[in-house]
Amino acid sequence: MVNPLPVNQLLVNRIPLTATTDPRHGGRWTGLRGGGREWFWHRRCPARDTVRPGDAFVDVGGLEECLPTVRGTPDHGDAWSRPWRRDGGTDVLDHPDFVLRRALRQDPSGALRASYHLSADPGYRFLWAAHALLDVGPGARLLAPAGTATRVFPEAALLIDRPWPANAPHLTGPWPTPLGLPLDRLGPDDGTAVGAVLTDCAEVSVVDGPDTLHLALRADTDVPVSVALWRNLGGYPAIGPYRSIGVEPMLGAVLDLAEADEGDAAVVPAAGDLRWELTVTAHRTPSPSCEGTR
């Protein structure tokens, strides 16, 4: 576990979460609120309202469902640019290669649970990421088990103290400082942008002041479970850069399906179905001035 709070505080100080989604525009999660706080970062861009499959990605924040890839072709996958439909309490994406069903619910403890069901031909290979862009301050930290093997991608080449090997899709080092980069620190802005994947990592916590957001992923079959990090501290894009922090539970161990070696992608089993669940919880540490009050 990577929760930064004792178990008793996790129960007492849990903040119930609610989410809103937009099935018409790619099934994007447009809001994640609890305790008077909106966790998602947003960016206005009217072009998002008119995208079609195959269009260049339009970044407006929230949480994107990236499938069947994150980077590569199509950029951010082929789910964000397609309309979804509602079927009772389930959002459904009908794609030529698969059908994805997603159901969101709040359990009695206040945790938010997103259950996924993918139907596709047996052997279908894919990556999926809950591409969540978070509104966090310069002092925020990403907590994960120390030593987690973390793949760092080539945009970090200028930030490390060694030459980047020719044609290497990624280099690997231990969390929290793979290749000497303190990736657990989510700010302040310094004009850099780094992508990474914490492999074989099912849960992480984001701590921002008194608030903690915890994300945990569980799959019902043997597929790689990771967490992707996009730490953009004003280094992307080249024209008009902005800050965006992506913490992205995922199935897979790379960002581009075209670069996936054996064991790096999720594979649909013989039954033709694969299920997984993302659980999101929030906690708030009481102010010291409130200790001992009734």
Side-chain angles (χ1 to χ4, degrees), residues 177-254:
T177 55
L179 313 184
L181 301 173
L183 294 186
D184 59 325
R185 302 175 186 175
L186 302 181
D189 294 359
D190 60 8
T192 66
V194 177
V197 173
L198 289 75
T199 63
D200 194 24
C201 181
E203 53 186 307
V204 295
S205 290
V206 177
V207 181
D208 187 26
D211 291 328
T212 297
L213 189 72
H214 186 71
L215 303 102
L217 184 61
R218 178 183 58 83
D220 70 347
T221 191
D222 185 20
V223 294
V225 174
S226 306
V227 176
L229 169 65
W230 172 238
R231 196 187 69 171
N232 175 22
L233 304 179
Y236 179 89
I239 299 175
Y242 50 82
R243 173 187 175 92
S244 57
I245 304 296
V247 178
E248 310 167 24
M250 67 179 296
L251 302 182
V254 292

Side-chain angles (χ1 to χ4, degrees), residues 70-92:
V70 184
R71 294 183 177 179
T73 304
D75 188 17
H76 286 72
D78 205 21
W80 72 271
S81 60
R82 294 175 178 268
W84 296 39
R85 59 181 173 89
R86 279 242 162 92
D87 181 11
T90 302
D91 293 329
V92 183

Side-chain angles (χ1 to χ4, degrees), residues 4-5 9 13 15 37 39 206-213 282-288:
L5 300 175
Q9 287 192 9
N13 302 318
I15 303 295
R37 173 170 184 157
W39 277 97
V206 177
V207 181
D208 187 26
D211 291 328
T212 297
L213 189 72
H283 313 95
R284 179 166 293 154
T285 303
S287 169

Side-chain angles (χ1 to χ4, degrees), residues 3 10-11 13-19 29 32-34 103-115 212-216 277-283:
N3 285 305
L10 291 178
L11 297 176
N13 302 318
R14 177 167 289 182
I15 303 295
L17 290 171
T18 58
W29 300 35
L32 180 64
R33 295 191 60 83
L104 295 177
R105 71 185 190 282
Q106 185 190 77
D107 71 18
S109 73
L112 184 68
R113 300 186 186 277
S115 300
T212 297
L213 189 72
H214 186 71
L215 303 102
E277 184 174 80
L278 173 65
T279 301
V280 187
T281 54
H283 313 95

Side-chain angles (χ1 to χ4, degrees), residues 286-294:
S287 169
S289 63
C290 296
E291 292 183 356
T293 60
R294 293 289 185 265

Side-chain angles (χ1 to χ4, degrees), residues 96-128:
D97 297 330
F98 57 82
V99 176
L100 178 65
R101 298 174 176 87
R102 177 190 67 196
L104 295 177
R105 71 185 190 282
Q106 185 190 77
D107 71 18
S109 73
L112 184 68
R113 300 186 186 277
S115 300
Y116 294 86
H117 177 193
L118 180 81
S119 300
D121 291 339
Y124 179 71
R125 298 173 76 247
F126 69 95
L127 305 175
W128 165 84

